Each structure stands twice: as C-alpha cells, then as structure tokens.
C-alpha cells in the first residue's frame, strides 16, 4: 500500500488546526521530539551491538546509578530539540538543573520536560523501556530574560501536550495534545510513525492491578486495604478474581492499561520517609496523568488529582495511582475513609496480618 495510514506529521498538523491555542511551530516541536525518540529506539534495539549497555559510572541527581543509555537518550533529546527555535528551555530527569536554549539558537515559546529513558533497570536485561515527555507554555516573563526553574513549576493541568515512546516488541508513540490519546507505531521500513490506535479509551473498571509487591509492608493502609481486597478475589468483598502484573517500567505499565485497562500504583510508602513516593511529578506523573485522563482514566496521589498538584521543585516525587476510573476513585475513597477513621473495621488485627501471599 503506497498511501493509507496517517503519518505523525499529518496527525500533528491536523491536531494543531483543530486547536488554535497551539501556537506557532508546535507541530515542528513535537516532530523534533519524535526524531529524538526514533534515535533512542535505534540505540535501544541495537543493544550490545552498539556498545550502549551497562552503567555510566556515576549517579544522577536522584542518586540513582546512570546507565550509558540514560546519558545517550538525554543527549538525543538535547541534540534534536535545542536548535529548532521552538523551545525556551528543557528539563530532564537526568540533569540537575534546567537547560536553557543556548544564546546562539533562537528561543521559542515552549518548555520541554522529559524522562529520556524510563524503566532503565530493564535495559541490560532486554525488556521494555520508554521515553516520557511533556510540553508546557513558557510563562509571559520567559520572553525577556532566559527562563528559570520557577517557569517550569506549573501544575500538570497546564500541560499543552504529553506523550511517551515505548521501545517494546514494536516501537510506539502515544500522544495527547488535549484532544484524546492516540497511538502511532513506528514503521521501520519507511522510518515513520503511523497512526494505528486513534482515540484510546481505558475501560472504567478492571480485574488487573500493578504494584511492586515487595514493598507491601511499607505501603499506606488504604493501599494495603485495596490490594488485600483484590487478592481475596471471588470470595472477598470485590466478588471477582484479580490478576497482577509488574514490569518495573512505567511506560510499559501505562501502555498495558491503555490497551486493556488496569490500575497502576506506586504509592507513598514508609521505606524512606524523605521521599513522598518514587515517581517524579514533572517527568513521569504529570505526563502520564494527562495521557490517562485524555483516555477516560484517572490519576491521583490518593489524596488529590495528580494534575492539580502544584510543583514546588523540579525533581519532586509524588505517590501515583492511575488507570481505570472506578478503581482509582475507590482507592481515593479508601484514603478519605482512612483520614476520617471510617476504615476502622479494615484495620482489625485480622486485616493487618494479611499479606500478599497469605490470607489469615
Ligand atoms: O524510576 C522509574 C521506574 O523505573 C518506573 O518506570 C517503574 O515503574 C519503577 O521505577 C520501578 O520501580 P521498582 O524498581 O521499585 O520496581
């Protein structure tokens, strides 16, 4: 077939025509992001052949050991997105500070936030990883002086666009510009992303949840209650059996939820009290919350909607509970009931002795 599916450029231009608020060269900015993802996909798929696996030998600002591919993926974003004149600055999970567009390049109206390679513990074992990105408008005062960190500290409900690339058996780009969530698949023969999954929708309820069960003893009680009820299956309060998955790559996890429903949790836990969660608000939680929300799902910290959280720092962490709407609302209710003490019956010794692997 010589023509047929919509390619990413046509898709973006049509989206921009539908939404006049997307000013200037918005579609060209996303095209630059897409080019970064294609370059990363190439590196990831060549793996050992390209000598890109293994550790970089230093920690990032989060105190996590950087992989070589973390660094290369970060460079790919900077290389492809800094020269086009669409951005004023970038911020990356892999960089301590923001990256203002160098003075010898024209400065644009948007800010780009990205996690260049999410789930990077999966790289060396050849499992799915991804890149996550979010676009914000540069506040008015950006037009004069170079942007500062404060310009990035906008709640997720101000995102103009968000997306991820999943480097899995096929490479997919999932994107929202505020008009639904859409999936495109990389056709390696022609080097283009083609629209394959328009208007993705997450079913409101589910029988599948994803959580790192090894942290169970550290979870907050509302999450312990929810998971315990799922595990009780048909004979418990939920009256149905649940399935569990954990890929340890948020992109893969969210993608599965977009394809067949489910709920993903990386809740607040008491493992390290200095961290109110594992995932980063700006680089992971906000873009995924917009993507999931535009597909009819919901994203919450348990106490508030992720998209309403006012960031206070660039690398801030938050608890994340996202996916099928009814389940996320249920977990929010469990948080409210915990706050008010209404969940007393579930705090009985019987409840607290339940573990994922043993129901007393
Ligand atoms: O840092 C982010 C991340 O890799 C996510 O992609 C993933 O959901 C999570 O961390 C995995 O965490 P853990 O190693 O605790 O399973």
């Amino acid at each position: 077939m010589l023509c047929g599916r919509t390619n990413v450029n046509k898709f973006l231009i049509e989206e921009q025509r539908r939404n006049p608020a997307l000013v200037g060269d918005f579609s060209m900015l996303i095209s630059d992001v897409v080019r970064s993802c294609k370059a990363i996909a190439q590196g990831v798929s060549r793996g050992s052949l390209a000598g890109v696996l293994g550790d970089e030998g230093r920690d990032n600002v989060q105190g996590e050991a950087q992989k070589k591919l973390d660094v290369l993926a970060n460079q790919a974003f900077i290389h492809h997105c800094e020269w086009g004149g669409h951005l004023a600055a970038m911020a990356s999970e892999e960089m301590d500070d923001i990256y203002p567009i160098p003075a010898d390049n024209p400065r644009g109206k948007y800010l780009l936030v990205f996690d260049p390679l999410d789930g990077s513990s999966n790289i060396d074992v050849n499992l799915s990883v991804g890149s996550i990105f979010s676009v914000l408008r540069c506040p008015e005062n950006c037009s004069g002086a170079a942007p500062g960190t404060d310009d990035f500290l906008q709640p997720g409900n101000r995102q103009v666009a968000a997306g991820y690339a999943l480097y899995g058996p096929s490479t997919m780009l999932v994107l929202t510009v505020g008009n639904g969530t859409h999936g495109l698949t990389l056709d390696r023969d022609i080097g283009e992303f083609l629209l394959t999954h328009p208007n993705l929708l997450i079913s409101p309820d589910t029988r599948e949840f994803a959580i790192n069960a090894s942290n169970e003893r550290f979870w907050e009680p509302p999450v312990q209650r929810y998971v315990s009820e799922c595990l009780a299956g048909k004979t418990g309060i939920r009256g149905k059996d649940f399935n569990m998955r954990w890929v340890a790559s948020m992109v893969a996890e969210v993608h599965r939820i977009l394809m067949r429903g489910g709920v993903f949790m990386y809740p607040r836990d008491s493992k390290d009290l200095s961290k109110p969660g594992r995932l980063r608000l700006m680089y992971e939680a906000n873009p995924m919350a917009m993507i999931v929300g535009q597909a009819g799902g919901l994203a919450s910290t348990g106490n508030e909607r992720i998209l309403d959280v006012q960031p206070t720092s660039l690398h801030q962490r938050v608890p994340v509970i996202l996916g099928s709407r009814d389940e996320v609302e249920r977990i929010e209710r469990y948080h409210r009931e915990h706050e008010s003490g209404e969940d007393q019956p579930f705090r009985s010794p019987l409840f607290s002795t339940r573990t994922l692997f043993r129901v007393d």
Side-chain angles (χ1 to χ4, degrees):
M1 195 165 32
L2 292 182
C3 49
R5 291 192 191 274
T6 301
N7 70 25
V8 70
N9 288 342
K10 180 165 184 248
F11 171 78
L12 288 168
I13 287 167
E14 285 176 354
E15 286 297 314
Q16 186 161 356
R17 281 185 193 144
R18 256 185 231 123
N19 184 354
L22 300 174
V23 291
D25 29 26
F26 172 80
S27 61
M28 311 255 302
L29 159 61
I30 302 293
S31 297
D32 289 348
V33 172
V34 168
R35 255 187 291 283
S36 318
C37 296
K38 284 202 273 193
I40 298 166
Q42 172 71 359
V44 169
S45 70
R46 286 186 49 76
S48 293
L49 298 175
V52 294
L53 302 187
D55 288 339
E56 177 69 7
R58 51 170 197 261
D59 288 354
N60 65 12
V61 62
Q62 328 280 340
E64 297 162 347
Q66 272 183 322
K67 301 279 180 190
K68 280 186 199 161
L69 260 173
D70 283 323
V71 176
L72 292 171
N74 195 63
Q75 286 166 354
F77 267 91
I78 292 180
H79 173 75
H80 289 282
C81 300
E82 74 173 349
W83 59 272
H86 322 303
L87 289 174
M90 300 183 230
S92 160
E93 189 185 300
E94 296 300 333
M95 298 191 289
D96 297 11
D97 299 313
I98 67 162
Y99 180 89
I101 296 303
D104 47 351
N105 287 331
R107 196 189 301 152
K109 296 185 172 62
Y110 293 103
L111 301 172
L112 180 67
V113 179
F114 55 91
D115 177 356
L117 207 65
D118 178 70
S120 51
S121 68
N122 280 346
I123 293 170
D124 295 341
V125 291
N126 198 16
L127 293 176
S128 295
V129 287
S131 303
I132 311 175
F133 59 90
S134 150
V135 179
L136 294 162
R137 273 197 190 85
C138 198
E140 286 308 306
N141 58 12
C142 269
S143 51
T149 300
D150 285 354
D151 295 313
F152 282 84
L153 303 183
Q154 307 180 36
N157 53 33
R158 302 246 290 269
Q159 291 171 110
V160 177
Y164 64 76
L166 170 65
Y167 312 116
S170 58
T171 292
M172 282 194 70
L173 177 74
V174 169
L175 191 61
T176 178
V177 297
N179 177 32
T181 292
H182 312 278
L184 301 96
T185 305
L186 181 61
D187 183 335
R188 288 185 187 269
D189 290 343
I190 57 171
E192 286 215 81
F193 280 102
L194 302 178
L195 184 63
T196 47
H197 296 69
N199 296 310
L200 289 164
L201 282 179
I202 300 174
S203 61
D205 59 5
T206 183
R207 289 166 181 249
E208 195 160 80
F209 66 96
I211 193 162
N212 182 343
S214 70
N215 292 327
E216 186 204 7
R217 66 193 183 285
F218 302 114
W219 296 338
E220 45 188 357
V223 172
Q224 288 179 334
R225 174 183 171 188
Y226 176 78
V227 172
S228 164
E229 289 177 357
C230 292
L231 292 173
K234 261 194 190 125
T235 53
I237 191 171
R238 299 302 305 272
K240 58 184 183 182
D241 289 335
F242 279 75
N243 189 19
M244 194 185 93
R245 288 284 182 269
W246 189 249
V247 188
S249 161
M250 190 190 195
V251 173
E253 232 82 67
V254 169
H255 195 70
R256 187 186 59 249
I257 289 172
L258 283 167
M259 294 296 125
R260 67 175 192 212
V263 61
F264 165 89
M265 292 165 278
Y266 217 117
R268 182 188 302 277
D269 65 38
S270 57
K271 202 173 183 177
D272 175 352
L273 292 172
S274 68
K275 294 179 184 160
R278 171 169 167 85
L279 302 175
R280 269 53 53 133
L281 174 61
M282 306 280 297
Y283 312 108
E284 294 163 320
N286 270 344
M288 291 309 199
M290 183 177 183
I291 290 166
V292 165
Q294 285 291 319
L298 211 54
S300 172
T301 64
N303 296 304
E304 96 180 279
R305 299 288 155 89
I306 300 259
L307 292 175
D308 294 334
V309 175
Q310 173 61 51
T312 51
S313 68
L314 209 51
H315 298 289
Q316 176 176 348
R317 297 176 192 255
V318 277
V320 175
I321 296 159
L322 61 75
S324 294
R325 177 170 283 270
D326 291 355
E327 298 299 306
V328 176
E329 282 175 347
R330 174 183 285 267
I331 301 166
E332 286 180 325
R333 173 162 64 80
Y334 288 3
H335 279 80
R336 286 195 300 276
E337 289 178 359
H338 183 68
E339 290 290 303
S340 65
E342 282 170 76
D343 66 348
Q344 281 303 337
F346 303 99
R347 294 196 215 168
S348 70
L350 175 69
F351 178 83
S352 61
T353 56
R354 289 180 178 196
T355 77
L356 277 174
F357 309 107
R358 175 171 55 90
V359 179
D360 290 333

